[in-house]
C-alpha cells in the first residue's frame, strides 16, 4: 500500500469559543483537508464548560489557557515548517492570544486569524471593575479594560494577523453597538486586514472556511 506523505505546510490550531466544541470547526477542517491538510496537521483543543447555561462561568483562567498552550506547543513541536497558524473564534481569539503571550511564541506563528473576537472587550460585560458579575466578564474575562483585555492589547500574535467580523454579531454587538472606543471590538491591533460579513456570530465561523484557508495558505 502506498503511504500518504503530508505536504510540508503549517500545522493549524483552531480554538473554539465560549461553550463551543471542537466540532464547531468541522466546515474549516473539511475545507483544509480538501486542500491537502491531514488530520495530524490540525489541532482543535477542547476547553471550558460546554453547556450554554454555564456560559458565564468560562474565563481565560490557567486551566483553559493551559489546554490551548498544550495544543500550540504540540503543534509547534510536530511542525515541519517550524511555524503554525492559529485560528480563534469568539472567546477563543483572546484565549489563543493569552496562550501565545504566555508561551512567548508569536514569532513562530505564521498567520493569526481572529473570528468574531473581542480583543477590546465586550460592552455587555461593562467596564472593569464595574458591572463585572461573572467569570466570563471578570478580571480574567472580557469586561472593557479588564486585566485580561489589557494584557492582550497592542501585541503581535503572528507574522500576519487578520480579523473576520460582522456588524450584526448578536454576541459581540449584543448591546446594539460593536464599538469600543471607536473601534469594532473584533478588530485586532496591528492587523494586516479585516473582512466584514453580513452574518451572525456563529456564521462567521462556519461560513468562512474558504476565507480562513485563503488567509493561512
Amino acid at each position: 500500500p502506498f503511504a500518504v506523505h503530508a505536504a510540508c505546510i503549517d500545522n493549524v490550531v483552531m480554538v473554539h469559543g465560549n461553550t463551543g466544541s471542537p466540532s464547531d470547526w468541522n466546515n474549516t477542517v473539511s475545507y483544509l483537508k480538501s486542500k491537502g491538510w491531514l488530520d495530524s496537521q490540525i489541532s482543535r483543543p477542547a476547553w471550558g464548560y460546554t453547556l450554554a447555561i454555564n456560559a458565564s462561568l468560562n474565563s481565560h483562567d490557567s486551566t483553559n489557557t493551559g489546554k490551548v498552550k498544550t495544543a500550540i506547543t504540540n503543534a509547534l513541536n510536530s511542525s515541519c515548517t517550524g511555524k503554525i497558524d492559529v485560528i480563534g473564534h469568539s472567546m477563543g481569539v483572546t484565549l489563543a492570544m493569552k496562550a501565545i503571550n504566555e508561551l512567548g511564541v508569536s514569532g513562530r506563528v505564521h498567520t493569526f486569524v481572529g473570528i468574531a473576537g473581542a480583543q477590546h472587550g465586550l460592552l455587555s460585560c461593562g467596564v472593569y471593575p464595574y458591572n463585572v458579575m461573572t467569570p466570563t466578564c471578570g478580571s480574567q474575562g472580557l469586561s472593557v479594560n479588564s486585566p485580561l483585555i489589557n494584557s492582550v492589547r497592542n501585541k503581535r500574535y503572528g507574522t500576519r494577523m487578520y480579523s473576520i467580523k460582522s456588524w450584526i454579531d448578536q454576541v459581540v454587538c449584543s448591546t446594539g453597538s460593536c464599538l469600543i472606543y471607536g473601534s469594532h471590538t473584533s478588530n485586532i491591533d496591528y492587523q494586516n486586514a479585516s473582512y466584514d460579513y453580513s452574518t451572525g456570530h456563529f456564521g462567521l465561523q462556519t461560513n468562512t472556511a474558504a476565507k480562513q484557508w485563503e488567509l493561512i495558505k
Side-chain angles (χ1 to χ4, degrees), residues 117-193:
Q119 192 186 20
H120 305 253
L122 286 179
L123 281 179
S124 57
C125 276
V127 179
Y128 189 83
Y130 308 101
N131 305 324
V132 179
M133 305 299 292
T134 66
T136 300
C137 291
S139 64
Q140 288 305 302
L142 296 171
S143 53
V144 178
N145 292 336
S146 73
L148 177 276
I149 288 298
N150 289 339
S151 76
V152 299
R153 292 292 311 279
N154 298 307
K155 293 184 170 74
R156 294 209 64 83
Y157 295 98
T159 304
R160 305 183 307 196
M161 303 189 295
Y162 301 100
S163 62
I164 293 175
K165 67 185 191 292
S166 174
W167 293 91
I168 55 171
D169 186 315
Q170 69 273 35
V171 175
V172 170
C173 315
S174 66
T175 62
S177 174
C178 313
L179 303 178
I180 306 283
Y181 302 133
S183 176
H184 193 303
T185 190
S186 297
N187 280 323
I188 294 173
D189 297 326
Y190 310 127
Q191 64 192 8
N192 293 74

Side-chain angles (χ1 to χ4, degrees), residues 4-7 9-13 29 33 36-44 71 74-80 84:
V4 174
H5 291 289
I9 47 184
D10 295 340
N11 287 346
V12 182
V13 178
V29 170
K33 287 170 78 170
W37 271 261
L38 301 180
D39 283 322
S40 60
Q41 295 170 314
I42 299 170
S43 175
R44 295 182 279 177
N74 291 342
L76 281 169
N77 288 343
S78 63
S79 168
C80 70
I84 60 171

Side-chain angles (χ1 to χ4, degrees), residues 36-90:
W37 271 261
L38 301 180
D39 283 322
S40 60
Q41 295 170 314
I42 299 170
S43 175
R44 295 182 279 177
W47 64 270
Y49 299 102
T50 57
L51 295 176
I53 194 172
N54 294 325
S56 64
L57 300 180
N58 283 323
S59 75
H60 303 68
D61 62 17
S62 58
T63 300
N64 290 334
T65 307
K67 291 175 179 175
V68 178
K69 286 165 72 173
T70 296
I72 288 173
T73 299
N74 291 342
L76 281 169
N77 288 343
S78 63
S79 168
C80 70
T81 64
K83 297 206 169 191
I84 60 171
D85 300 313
V86 177
I87 309 175
H89 175 251
S90 191

